[in-house]
Amino acid sequence: MTDSVYEISHLTLVPRRHIGRIVGAVAVVGILASIVYSFAVGQIEWSYVAEFLTVPVILRGLGNTIVMAVCAMLLGLALGVVFAVMRLSDNPVLKHTAVAYVWFFRAVPALLQLLLWFNLALIFPTIGFPGLFSVRTVDVMTPFVAALLGLGIQQGAFTAEVVRAGLQAVDKGQYEAAQSIGMPRLQMLRRIIMPQAMRVIVPPVGNEFIGMVKLTSLASVIQFTEILHSAQNIYYANSRVIELLIVAASWYLVVVTALSLIQIRIEKFYAKGVRPVGGEA
Amino acid sequence: MTNEALHLHAVGAEPLVVAADVRKRFGSVEVLKGISLQVAKGEVLSIIGPSGSGKSTFLRCINQLERLDGGAIFVGGELIGYRRVGDKLHELVDAEIARQRRSIGMVFQRFNLFPHLTVTENITEGPVQVLRERPGEARDHAHALLERVGLGEKRDAYPSELSGGQQQRVAIARALAMRPKLILFDEPTSALDPELVGEVLTVMRDLAASGMTMIVVTHELGFARDVCQRVAFMDRGQIVEIGEPRHVLGQPTQKRTQEFISMVRT
C-alpha cells in the first residue's frame, strides 16, 4: 500500500517557470532596440562614418595611436620591472627610491604629467651635458617625445606594483631551488622567477595596455596627432562631430579587441605546466 | 680507538664537510648553539631530532640559504661564504656563493621543482644555464638519470602531472645532474603520502650505495639505521649524541635521545 506513494517515476515532470528571467529579458531587449532605433533615425549621417573610416588622415592617426601605445607600454614595462626589482632589494636607497617613484607618478594625473613634459622648456631652456653638448629643449621635446615620457613613466609606476605582486606570488622554495643549483640572482629572476610571475602579471598588464590605448587620446591636448586629434581636425573643418567621433570609437574598438585576443594567447603560453582549476592530473 | 673513529677510518679519513662551532640565531632565539661535526667523503650521515631542534637550519647553513652568526663550515677544504686573505675574512660576492653552491646538491621537503618546465628541462636547467653544458649532452644525461630513478617514461611530463614521490625522485635527479660532491636532504619524505615514502627511500639507498656523500635530515629511523654510517641526534640547537646507528638508535646513552626514540617508535 505504501509502495505506491513512494513510487514517483511514472509521474510527469513540470519544469519550474522563471517569470523574473522572462520579464528581465523582455525589458533589456526593448531598451536595446530603442537605443538602436534612436541612433538609426537620429541626426547621424552614416554615409560620412563609412567615408571617413579609412581616409589617410584617420589611418595616420590610428597608426600614431598604436605606435604611441606600444612604445609607452614598453617603456612602462621596462621601468616597472626595474623598479619592482629595486623595491624588493635589500639596499635601502634602491628600495626607497622605488617607493618614491611609485608614490609620485601614480599620484599626479596623466594629463598634468603630459603638460609638464611638453612645457619642460619653461624650466630648462636647454638640456645637455655641460661642456660636451647642449640642445634647445623645445627642439627635443616634440609632442611625440613629451607624450612618450609622460605616458610611459606614469605607466611604469602602475606596472611596478603589478610586477611586484607577480614576483611575490612565486613560492619562496622556487628561489631556494634556483639558488641551490648555483644560479646567480639575475639568471634566477630571468629563467625561474619571471616566467612563473608572468602568469600573475599578464592579466593586469593586458588591462593596463588597453587603458594605455585609450590614454593616448590625452596626448591630443599637446598636439600629438593620434586618432582622436585627427578626427577633431576633420570635424573642425566639416562640422560632422558625431560621425567622426564614431569613426574614432570604431577604431578603438578594433584595436582593443585585437589586444584582448593577443592577451588570451599570451596567458595560454604562460599557463604551461599549470593544472587547470578542478582538473585531474 | 672508539668504534666511531674506526668507522671513519674505514670510509676514508679525509673529511668532506667540517663544521666548527656553527652558531645561528633568528632574532633573540639561538637555534644553533655551536654545532661541530665532520662528514667523511662517501659517508651517509642522518640527523634526527624533534621539530625546532635546528636540523634543517644547520643543513641550510651548509648551502648558504642561511648565514652563520658564528663558527665556520668547510666543504671540500674550502671555507663557505668567505675568502681568507692573511688574517682577514672577506665576504664572498653573489657569483662566488653561486659557484660554491654548484657542488652541493639540495633536495627539499616540498620538492620545489620548477612548475613551468618539463621533467627533463628541470634536470637540464642547471647543467645548461649554470655549467654551460651542451643542451644535447645535458638532455642525454637527464634521460639517463631519469632511468636511474625509475622515471624514464615521464621525461616530457610537467611536475603537476606527477605524484609527490615521483616529483621527489625528479628533484633527486635534478640535484645529481650538477655532479655534486655532496647532497643535502631536508626531510625528503615528510611531505609524502605514506605509500610513496618507499620509492624515494629506495632511490636514496641506491645513491648511498654508489658512494655519494649525503647528509639526510629525516624522521625515517629505519632508513637511518639501515643506510647511514652515523646518526646525529639534535635537540635545542645542539648535537646531543652522534655515532653508529646501532649505538645511537639501539642503546642511546643520553636521556633526551632515549625519550625521542621511544616517542617516534610508538
Side-chain angles (χ1 to χ4, degrees), chain A residues 6 16 19 28 31 39 53 72 112 117 129 175 184 186 202 243 253 255 260 274:
Chain A
Y6 295 116
R16 161 184 172 188
I19 306 289
V28 167
I31 292 167
F39 268 87
L53 201 57
L112 199 157
W117 287 106
F129 203 79
Y175 290 82
L186 278 180
V202 169
E243 288 81 354
L253 282 172
V255 172
S260 308
V274 178

Side-chain angles (χ1 to χ4, degrees), chain B residues 21-36 47 50-61 65-70 233-240 256:
Chain B
D21 195 33
V22 171
R23 290 171 187 276
K24 173 73 189 173
R25 53 170 59 247
F26 291 122
S28 61
V29 186
E30 193 168 29
V31 287
L32 296 179
K33 300 170 185 163
I35 302 289
S36 298
I47 306 179
S51 59
S53 58
K55 330 181 278 295
S56 289
T57 304
F58 176 62
L59 211 60
R60 293 163 59 83
C61 284
L65 292 175
E66 306 287 353
R67 279 182 56 147
L68 304 192
D69 293 321
F233 172 69
M234 270 181 77
D235 190 23
R236 288 173 233 162
Q238 288 171 317
I239 293 182
V240 177
R256 279 190 279 174

Side-chain angles (χ1 to χ4, degrees), chain A residues 44-55 243-244 246-247 250-251:
Chain A
I44 301 171
E45 284 291 340
W46 289 98
S47 62
Y48 276 93
V49 175
E51 184 189 335
F52 280 100
L53 201 57
T54 53
V55 295
E243 288 81 354
L244 279 145
I246 291 175
V247 165
S250 310
W251 280 118

Side-chain angles (χ1 to χ4, degrees), chain A residues 16-234:
Chain A
R16 161 184 172 188
R17 285 225 206 124
H18 297 277
I19 306 289
R21 278 192 210 172
I22 297 169
V23 173
V26 169
V28 167
V29 169
I31 292 167
L32 286 178
S34 65
I35 291 173
V36 170
Y37 177 76
S38 47
F39 268 87
V41 300
Q43 301 283 323
I44 301 171
E45 284 291 340
W46 289 98
S47 62
Y48 276 93
V49 175
E51 184 189 335
F52 280 100
L53 201 57
T54 53
V55 295
V57 179
I58 290 291
L59 290 183
R60 218 173 302 132
L62 174 66
N64 283 340
T65 290
I66 295 173
V67 168
M68 175 58 67
V70 170
C71 290
M73 199 64 203
L74 288 178
L75 179 60
L77 277 172
L79 290 172
V81 170
V82 169
F83 280 98
V85 172
M86 279 169 65
R87 173 77 190 263
L88 297 175
S89 159
D90 291 331
N91 181 331
V93 175
L94 295 186
K95 187 190 183 100
H96 289 106
T97 304
V99 171
Y101 166 78
V102 170
W103 168 75
F104 183 84
F105 287 100
R106 222 163 45 155
V108 179
L111 181 57
L112 199 157
Q113 289 185 47
L114 287 179
L115 293 170
L116 269 181
W117 287 106
F118 193 55
N119 293 304
L120 199 67
L122 298 177
I123 328 171
F124 309 110
T126 61
I127 46 179
F129 203 79
L132 277 179
F133 71 96
S134 172
V135 287
R136 293 191 331 152
T137 306
V138 282
D139 295 337
V140 179
M141 204 47 77
T142 59
F144 180 86
V145 173
L148 177 63
L149 291 175
L151 295 174
I153 291 174
Q154 65 95 30
Q155 184 59 51
F158 287 94
T159 312
E161 289 294 279
V162 172
V163 173
R164 181 168 69 95
L167 292 177
Q168 287 177 333
V170 178
D171 187 72
K172 189 166 144 279
Q174 293 292 312
Y175 290 82
E176 294 185 346
Q179 286 172 338
S180 69
I181 57 170
M183 279 197 169
R185 185 173 162 77
L186 278 180
Q187 196 176 36
M188 169 181 77
L189 285 174
R190 189 169 55 84
R191 297 283 311 176
I192 304 298
I193 306 304
M194 272 312 264
Q196 295 182 58
M198 286 303 276
R199 231 167 46 75
V200 179
I201 292 172
V202 169
V205 163
N207 217 14
E208 303 258 303
F209 203 157
I210 286 167
M212 174 60 80
V213 170
K214 298 183 294 176
L215 216 54
T216 54
S217 62
L218 289 183
S220 60
V221 301
I222 56 169
Q223 307 306 314
F224 181 66
T225 50
E226 46 71 55
I227 188 164
L228 185 59
H229 192 258
S230 305
Q232 285 177 314
N233 280 344
I234 297 174

Side-chain angles (χ1 to χ4, degrees), chain B residues 175-192:
Chain B
L176 284 173
M178 298 295 289
R179 305 175 202 273
K181 294 186 280 198
L182 163 73
I183 301 187
L184 310 171
F185 292 82
D186 187 6
E187 303 199 23
T189 58
S190 298
L192 296 177

